[in-house]
Amino acid sequence: MKFLIRQNLGTKISLPGAKFLSSLAVTANPSTPFDKHDENLTTFSLYSFLNECRESGHCTRRDTEILHTQLLKTNMYHSNIFVANSLISCYCKSAAMDSALQLFDEIPVPNVFSWNHMISGYNETFLYEVSWRIFCRMQWSGYVPNQFTYWSVLSACSALQSPLCGKQIYALAIRSGFFSNGYVRTGMIELFVKCSSFEDAMRVLYDVWCENVVCWNAIISGAVRNKENWLALNLFRQMCRRFLLPNSFTFSSILTACASLDELELGRGVQGWVVKCGAREDVFVETAVIDLYAKCGDMDEAVKEFFRMPIRNVVSWTAIISGFVQRDDTISAVQYFKEMRKLREEINNYTITSVLAACSDPAMVKEAIQIHCWIYKVGFYSDSAVKASLINSYSKAGAVGLSELVFRDAEDLKHRSTWAVMISAFAQHGSPRRAIYLFQRMLHEGLVPDNFCSSSVLSIVDCLNSGRQIHCYTIKSGLVFDVSVASSLFMMYSKCGCLEDSYEVFGQIVEKDTVSWASMIAGFAEHGCGYHALNLFRQMLREGAIPDGVTLTAVLTACTSLCSLRIGKQVHAYALLQGVAKQTLVGGSLVNMYSKCGSLYLARRVFDMTPFTDQVSCSSLLSGYAESGYIEEAFQLFHEMLFADFKIDSFTISSLLGAVVRLNRLGISTQMHAHIIKGGLESEVSVGSSLVTMYSKCGSIDDCHKVFEQIGRPDLISWTAIIASYAQHGEGAEALRFYELMRKAGTKPDSVTFIGVLSACSHNGLVEEGYYYLKSMVEDFALEPGPQHYACMVDLLGRSGRLKEAERFVKNMPIKPNALVWGRLLAACKVHGDVELGRLAAKKVFELEPCNAGAYVSLSNIWADVGEWNEVMKIRTEMKGGGVEKEPGWSYV
């Protein structure tokens, strides 16, 4: 440009040119000296410079204006349309569209290239509506567009997502004879693809025999962008059958589709074709190959391909970093990012968001803070996507305070993504009030929450009133039609116990995805509506939806709640047919289903056949062994879990403690307790409750008390366990004291708790207290007493020698006495030698349970105590004749 400034041209400037010259903001550098002895600029040098500026695309507005000034002196651009068009092109490339339009308007007779430069220039500056108006003006002026014109204006229609205007342009192009032109058809295909009208795009492709690879690339890449990856692969096969040679753009799209579908072997085949066609040197193709291996989990091969690349760009670096993040290799991801910085490679916001995802771990908070400082230093902190990623990383790493700090520092608080991520952070860390407050604040500040914000808030709402208010907002804003919002809505209703409302919202979803089906099925299963869950699963299959592993897990949960082994086997067969039975999640659910349904043999077979067993499947099988009395197998599996370095959680320990209770061996109990203390689980409610029961069965009431004191926040089960333990050990006063402590702590007792309380009264002869607590159960807590509660009262009266009162109590019971109640009365008659009442009680027991050996023995002992040996022999004969056998007692001692 400097040689233009030095020219001293003496040609007169025309009037129109002078007029335009005065309108230029910058003409030439006034401080630059002009050499009066320089020769005039030749036409050849001017053409050469114009071509250089136009083809390079690096000319600035100032350089173009200086060039324009020199051209005004030569009066060349008025007499030469090529010069004028080249100058317009330079203005367009420097984004000076106002100057380009002013120059265009001064051209006496513009040609089609002049119009094309203006239309494409407005496209490049994202002024698509102006581009459309320029085309309309061209039509009104009587100029005939060519294929480049149609392609440019179709690009504008595509950006505006206006298929109607695009169809009009396409019809005009067909009428003008451009029916089979590749540019026109490519533009139309891209328009339809962007508007998700794949049928129309396919129709354009198949209208005539198409041998234009660009058209095929357009529809294939569009299918990949719209997540229609199988369609993209099918189109690629059709393209190959037509003997069309794919190029680098084709390979990049197909490799991306293979990566999204996790089709590694198919991707390897495409890679072989890449090598054969000589497209391996293309940086975009090689980046797609790296992305394929990374997303399919083969990071070793991805790294090999990465280092084979002769030239690496920011996309390839970002792909390898993202691959390490997906494989949870956060250290390698951060190391590659540091290597990028060391080599001074270009870094964009995608690279930063990828490496920040690697720092979403509590152990990586320090690295996240360092990257945060670097982001602030280099100027990426103003990027809303980077801020959102920072908030998300700190949140997942457990540093919610730092997330809030980034959120408060955000200059552009009007960006919804930042708010959405902060709301999600509060939701993930169990802060529903703060999440809802932030959601309300968004509305007050005029921001419209999107589907992500609404879904995040709904995921933590446990108040039906608040949930209904947000439901009203989603209806008002139209978000209720979004499948993710609708799924969060019916999950919210399900969580609040409103299954009818939940199912109603589910029914209103027009296009149900797999997640919505799985969520609704899981909602029914978790609320004990197993039959509804199975019916919904059948409906899902009838509608052609293909369940995934999560859906089948929910269905298996329903089978478990129904104890339906037959349907569970059918679901297992379907999982095998779909090839998901060996997934860890499905395998664990199958093990749990078979264990809970009592088929431990099949549970073990599934467990052994699952390639990667996890903690859930191990715990489920261990629980099945413990509940079924296979104590040795339970402990063996427990040792295997320890050797495999599985984290032993409270559920596993509680199941194993249940098995220890059956052993009734204090030594093993003490060892288990030591392991629990070592693992830091002694304060867990479920573990503490199991320990209380275990020590109670082992006869160590002092250890029961100590273990109970270590529980962080005792729940109803814990309180009930300690009350029952003291009652069983004859310490009724302590049992009742703990009952009162439970009441003061705000825990509401249930019917099981009152069994322990009444049992405590029974063991200590507290008759009046027993009547009081039985009455309190009904009046204070609206609990209906059951047979066990009445049996405790009969036992209490019997132990106190008040047999006639016990008889009246049994006859006046509001429910029909069962064998347990009459058995307690019979036992009291044996203690106090009441033969007649004992005979009556035994008769009632025999009527209800003819094979009750205990009743025969008790009645026999009553007769033996009074010396009626004939009656004793008669009872023993009846026992032998009825096939009733007394089970012999046994002991570990």
Side-chain angles (χ1 to χ4, degrees), residues 389-539:
S389 185
L390 266 171
I391 293 172
N392 190 43
S393 296
Y394 281 136
S395 169
K396 289 184 177 179
V400 188
L402 293 175
S403 294
E404 288 189 83
L405 181 64
V406 176
F407 179 74
R408 287 196 300 267
D409 285 347
E411 296 177 3
D412 186 16
L413 283 177
K414 296 296 182 183
H415 206 286
R416 286 190 306 186
S417 64
T418 312
W419 289 77
V421 176
M422 195 66 240
I423 289 173
S424 177
F426 284 139
Q428 291 170 7
H429 288 271
S431 302
R433 291 184 179 179
R434 302 179 76 180
I436 294 172
Y437 167 73
L438 206 59
F439 186 81
Q440 293 172 337
R441 190 177 149 201
M442 279 188 76
L443 296 173
H444 287 238
E445 297 196 9
L447 291 172
V448 181
D450 58 4
N451 54 350
F452 182 65
C453 291
S454 303
S455 300
S456 298
V457 172
L458 286 167
S459 68
I460 56 167
V461 170
D462 53 5
C463 174
L464 189 58
N465 185 36
S466 300
R468 291 191 187 279
Q469 292 180 23
I470 299 174
H471 188 182
C472 292
Y473 168 76
T474 60
I475 294 173
K476 183 179 178 181
S477 61
L479 289 172
V480 72
F481 299 107
D482 183 86
V483 66
S484 62
V485 175
S487 298
S488 300
L489 267 173
F490 71 71
M491 288 173 67
M492 179 273 297
Y493 281 121
S494 175
K495 186 167 54 177
C496 295
C498 300
L499 280 180
E500 291 184 4
D501 292 334
S502 177
Y503 187 65
E504 184 178 351
V505 174
F506 173 78
Q508 293 172 356
I509 301 176
V510 180
E511 296 182 2
K512 302 177 181 67
D513 60 359
T514 307
V515 176
S516 56
W517 283 105
S519 301
M520 193 67 243
I521 291 171
F524 278 131
E526 290 168 3
H527 285 82
C529 302
Y531 289 109
H532 291 289
L534 294 177
N535 288 333
L536 195 62
F537 177 63
R538 295 186 184 101
Q539 180 185 342

Side-chain angles (χ1 to χ4, degrees), residues 513-823:
D513 60 359
T514 307
V515 176
S516 56
W517 283 105
S519 301
M520 193 67 243
I521 291 171
F524 278 131
E526 290 168 3
H527 285 82
C529 302
Y531 289 109
H532 291 289
L534 294 177
N535 288 333
L536 195 62
F537 177 63
R538 295 186 184 101
Q539 180 185 342
M540 177 184 181
L541 295 177
R542 284 195 298 269
E543 294 188 11
I546 300 177
D548 58 0
V550 178
T551 313
L552 293 176
T553 300
V555 176
L556 288 169
T557 303
C559 296
T560 304
S561 64
L562 295 171
C563 288
S564 178
L565 184 61
R566 181 179 62 85
I567 299 177
K569 286 181 177 181
Q570 293 175 2
V571 177
H572 188 184
Y574 182 83
L576 289 169
L577 186 66
Q578 295 295 321
V580 298
K582 292 187 178 181
Q583 289 183 4
T584 304
L585 183 64
V586 178
S589 299
L590 283 168
V591 171
N592 185 53
M593 184 272 296
Y594 282 126
S595 299
K596 291 291 192 296
C597 293
S599 182
L600 289 174
Y601 171 72
L602 291 176
R604 184 70 199 201
R605 282 194 63 184
V606 174
F607 179 82
D608 292 336
M609 291 171 62
T610 305
F612 301 101
T613 53
D614 62 350
Q615 178 185 334
V616 176
S617 57
C618 288
S619 298
S620 299
L621 185 57
L622 188 148
S623 175
Y625 280 140
E627 291 175 4
S628 300
Y630 294 95
I631 301 174
E632 184 178 346
E633 287 81 357
F635 272 99
Q636 180 63 36
L637 187 57
F638 178 67
H639 285 301
E640 292 177 10
M641 291 178 69
L642 292 177
F643 285 127
D645 286 333
F646 279 132
K647 182 181 178 182
I648 308 300
D649 59 3
S650 56
F651 174 78
T652 309
I653 289 293
S654 299
S655 300
L656 200 60
L657 288 174
V660 173
V661 166
R662 296 190 180 190
L663 288 175
N664 198 21
R665 294 173 65 179
L666 189 60
I668 297 179
S669 303
T670 306
Q671 292 177 28
M672 285 299 303
H673 193 181
H675 182 82
I676 289 168
I677 294 173
K678 183 179 178 181
L681 297 173
E682 68 274 11
S683 60
E684 292 284 339
V685 178
S686 59
V687 175
S689 302
S690 300
L691 281 171
V692 170
T693 305
M694 180 189 72
Y695 278 121
S696 174
K697 295 288 184 181
C698 294
S700 180
I701 192 64
D702 292 335
D703 289 328
C704 284
H705 182 81
K706 291 176 183 177
V707 168
F708 181 81
E709 292 296 328
Q710 291 176 344
I711 300 175
R713 292 182 178 179
D715 61 355
L716 176 60
I717 298 174
S718 308
W719 287 107
T720 302
I722 192 66
I723 291 169
S725 297
Y726 274 112
Q728 291 166 6
H729 285 78
E731 297 189 21
E734 279 297 302
L736 296 180
R737 185 177 73 84
F738 272 95
Y739 172 76
E740 295 301 328
L741 289 174
M742 181 187 76
R743 292 283 307 276
K744 290 179 181 179
T747 303
K748 183 180 177 181
D750 64 355
S751 57
V752 180
T753 311
F754 277 104
I755 292 175
V757 171
L758 293 173
S759 178
C761 296
S762 173
H763 283 81
N764 290 269
L766 304 174
V767 178
E768 300 304 322
E769 286 82 354
Y771 276 118
Y772 168 77
Y773 286 117
L774 186 66
K775 182 180 178 181
S776 173
M777 178 181 178
V778 178
E779 295 181 355
D780 297 336
F781 301 101
L783 296 171
E784 290 295 329
Q788 286 184 303
H789 301 95
Y790 290 118
C792 287
M793 283 301 300
V794 171
D795 187 59
L796 169 59
L797 293 170
R799 285 173 185 266
S800 303
R802 299 159 73 164
L803 295 180
K804 295 299 180 183
E805 186 177 347
E807 183 183 5
R808 288 195 302 271
F809 182 86
V810 172
K811 290 180 178 179
N812 294 327
M813 281 173 54
I815 62 175
K816 184 179 179 180
N818 63 1
L820 177 65
V821 175
W822 288 112

Side-chain angles (χ1 to χ4, degrees), residues 2 115 126 216 227 408 412 458 766 774 807 811 832 843 869 882:
K2 290 183 179 179
W115 293 97
F126 310 109
W216 287 91
K227 312 297 181 184
R408 287 196 300 267
D412 186 16
L458 286 167
L766 304 174
L774 186 66
E807 183 183 5
K811 290 180 178 179
H832 296 284
K843 180 182 177 182
W869 297 106

Side-chain angles (χ1 to χ4, degrees), residues 321 325 330 333-334 337 349-361 364 367-372 375 385-394 396-397:
I321 291 173
V325 173
T330 56
V334 174
F337 178 72
N349 56 350
Y350 296 104
T351 317
I352 295 172
T353 53
S354 296
V355 76
L356 283 173
C359 299
S360 302
D361 186 274
M364 302 290 285
E367 286 75 7
I369 294 173
Q370 292 175 350
I371 295 173
H372 185 176
I375 289 169
V386 173
K387 284 178 185 173
S389 185
L390 266 171
I391 293 172
N392 190 43
S393 296
Y394 281 136
K396 289 184 177 179

